[in-house]
Amino acid sequence: MTYPNPAVGATVVKNNQVLSVEAHKTAGEAHAEVLALRSAYLKQYPNSQLKEIYSSVDIHHFLSSKHNDFFVDCEIYVTLEPCNHRGKTPACAMLLESIKIKKVYIGTLDPNKKATGGLQRLKYAKIDVELGIEKKSTDKLLYPFRKWNKDRFLFFKMAMREDGSIDGGYITTKDSLSLVHKIRTKIDLMVIGGQTVRTDRPTLDARFAIKNISPDILIYSKQKEFDKTIPLFNIKNREVLISDKLQISNKNFVMVEGGYNMLNIVKDSIDCLVVFISHKVKSDIKFDFKKLGFQIIHRYNINSDDEILFLEQL
């Protein structure tokens, strides 16, 4: 959801007590470190005018000048090396230097040459820095970022019930559907099978997201003729391609939607499998993803009925 930025989390600790846990949410908005520092400061000073400040630039300015030496005995844990350049937001390394934070724990160095250098800046400022904490986990979290910066990150999305069945219309709740539509506003391209287009006649837009930005579409099909009254062909500002190849150029973040047949076709090309599972109908049979050649690397509940799983190939 942070594309084209990396997914980064930050935690501020003071006297062995966790003060805040935050994450970067959207490109162009405050980074994880900025949000975590803001939350930690407000925990100590809940009536501070900072509670009415939300923009990254304004938070930087406030904390840099009015930190009251609050952070001199604080430590911050960060997924990724704090950035050292001013892009859409000011440099996080500069903010950590100005508030004189005690120590910075970093999971992974930033592979982006424009943004890296934060570790060295902090060391020059005589701030204690520890690199490589939970690196295996942070590397997995940052894999999409590294991949789409290098060439392309392509993931497959599907929905199923506990037993692995995928038939019968909508499977998950509106919450999951809204999340899928939000994801569609982030991707550069959506791939879908030709048979699904002919049978379901989908729209494939993002109408359930706050920003209805519909992705370009690649219809994966050997047959090139389609009924152009199918709704997906009539979305404004959208390019629809029809091809029997996944040789996609100038598209860095790509989602494939489909079922088992489509997954088998593109399996060797995908970087990650994302599965929305409905637990509304309980089943004694739990689907074994190892049968598909995948293992779960992360999961979380969307609501009481739906769960999202992230899987990598065995």
Side-chain angles (χ1 to χ4, degrees), residues 12-19 44 70 72-75 102:
V12 175
V13 175
K14 185 169 186 167
N15 300 324
N16 293 320
Q17 296 294 316
V18 173
L19 296 185
Q44 177 68 27
F70 171 71
V72 295
D73 54 356
C74 285
E75 301 172 327
K102 179 182 178 182

Side-chain angles (χ1 to χ4, degrees), residues 178-223:
S178 297
L179 177 55
V180 170
H181 280 226
K182 189 176 180 181
I183 293 170
R184 287 178 182 173
T185 69
K186 301 292 183 178
I187 59 177
D188 295 323
L189 183 71
M190 179 176 170
V191 181
I192 190 157
Q195 187 57 42
T196 298
V197 172
R198 292 185 177 91
T199 303
D200 295 348
R201 300 180 64 85
T203 304
L204 303 180
D205 62 359
R207 61 189 179 278
F208 297 126
I210 294 175
K211 294 182 179 180
N212 190 352
I213 305 172
S214 299
D216 290 339
I217 299 291
L218 169 62
I219 301 175
Y220 191 66
S221 175
K222 291 181 179 180
Q223 295 180 331

Side-chain angles (χ1 to χ4, degrees), residues 42-314:
L42 286 175
K43 193 164 187 177
Q44 177 68 27
Y45 303 104
N47 296 319
S48 167
Q49 68 184 91
L50 181 60
K51 67 181 180 181
E52 304 297 332
I53 298 174
Y54 301 99
S55 83
S56 183
V57 173
D58 292 341
I59 297 170
H60 272 252
H61 290 330
F62 181 93
L63 291 178
S64 295
S65 59
K66 300 179 181 179
H67 52 77
N68 296 325
D69 288 330
F70 171 71
F71 297 102
V72 295
D73 54 356
C74 285
E75 301 172 327
I76 187 168
Y77 295 77
V78 189
T79 304
L80 184 68
E81 175 188 21
C83 63
N84 194 41
H85 82 305
R86 186 184 182 96
K88 294 181 179 179
T89 61
C92 292
M94 182 184 299
L95 176 59
L96 292 169
E97 177 185 357
S98 66
I99 64 175
K100 303 174 183 177
I101 199 158
K102 179 182 178 182
K103 186 170 183 176
V104 180
Y105 295 88
I106 299 172
T108 300
L109 285 176
D110 197 329
N112 184 350
K113 294 181 179 179
K114 291 182 179 179
T116 193
L119 182 145
Q120 290 301 323
R121 181 185 191 117
L122 294 169
K123 285 186 173 180
Y124 289 148
K126 307 300 183 184
I127 293 172
D128 191 9
V129 182
E130 183 175 329
L131 175 65
I133 184 169
E134 295 293 335
K135 187 177 186 301
K136 184 177 180 181
S137 297
T138 57
D139 281 351
K140 279 191 175 183
L141 178 67
L142 294 162
Y143 174 67
F145 173 68
R146 295 200 307 273
K147 191 71 168 54
W148 68 51
N149 271 280
K150 182 180 179 182
D151 43 50
R152 180 184 73 219
F153 181 75
L154 188 152
F155 70 99
F156 192 100
K157 192 279 295 183
M158 66 187 303
M160 66 171 63
R161 300 176 187 87
E162 288 185 349
D163 62 0
S165 61
I166 62 174
D167 58 330
Y170 285 123
I171 294 173
T172 56
T173 65
K174 182 70 177 291
D175 289 340
S176 291
L177 184 60
S178 297
L179 177 55
V180 170
H181 280 226
K182 189 176 180 181
I183 293 170
R184 287 178 182 173
T185 69
K186 301 292 183 178
I187 59 177
D188 295 323
L189 183 71
M190 179 176 170
V191 181
I192 190 157
Q195 187 57 42
T196 298
V197 172
R198 292 185 177 91
T199 303
D200 295 348
R201 300 180 64 85
T203 304
L204 303 180
D205 62 359
R207 61 189 179 278
F208 297 126
I210 294 175
K211 294 182 179 180
N212 190 352
I213 305 172
S214 299
D216 290 339
I217 299 291
L218 169 62
I219 301 175
Y220 191 66
S221 175
K222 291 181 179 180
Q223 295 180 331
K224 302 300 190 292
E225 297 300 321
F226 286 84
D227 177 1
K228 296 302 172 62
T229 66
I230 294 174
L232 74 85
F233 289 101
N234 299 294
I235 301 296
K236 293 181 179 180
N237 303 314
R238 160 184 281 175
E239 181 181 12
V240 179
L241 308 171
I242 303 172
S243 176
D244 59 357
K245 296 180 176 60
L246 283 177
Q247 296 175 348
I248 306 161
S249 60
N250 302 319
K251 304 292 185 181
N252 301 100
F253 192 22
V254 181
M255 176 171 71
V256 185
E257 283 201 16
Y260 293 117
N261 290 338
M262 188 66 167
L263 178 60
N264 286 331
I265 293 171
V266 303
K267 180 178 177 180
D268 292 338
S269 301
I270 65 174
D271 298 300
C272 182
L273 173 62
V274 178
V275 179
F276 288 76
I277 293 188
S278 172
H279 297 292
K280 189 172 184 178
V281 178
K282 301 298 181 182
S283 173
D284 293 333
I285 301 172
K286 307 300 182 184
F287 187 76
D288 183 3
F289 288 99
K290 291 183 179 179
K291 294 179 180 179
L292 295 179
F294 289 87
Q295 63 182 358
I296 300 170
I297 55 175
H298 183 63
R299 65 197 305 166
Y300 69 87
N301 293 322
I302 296 172
N303 55 34
S304 60
D305 290 324
D306 295 348
E307 183 181 18
I308 184 170
L309 275 59
F310 300 85
L311 305 97
E312 63 181 3
Q313 295 197 43
L314 292 169

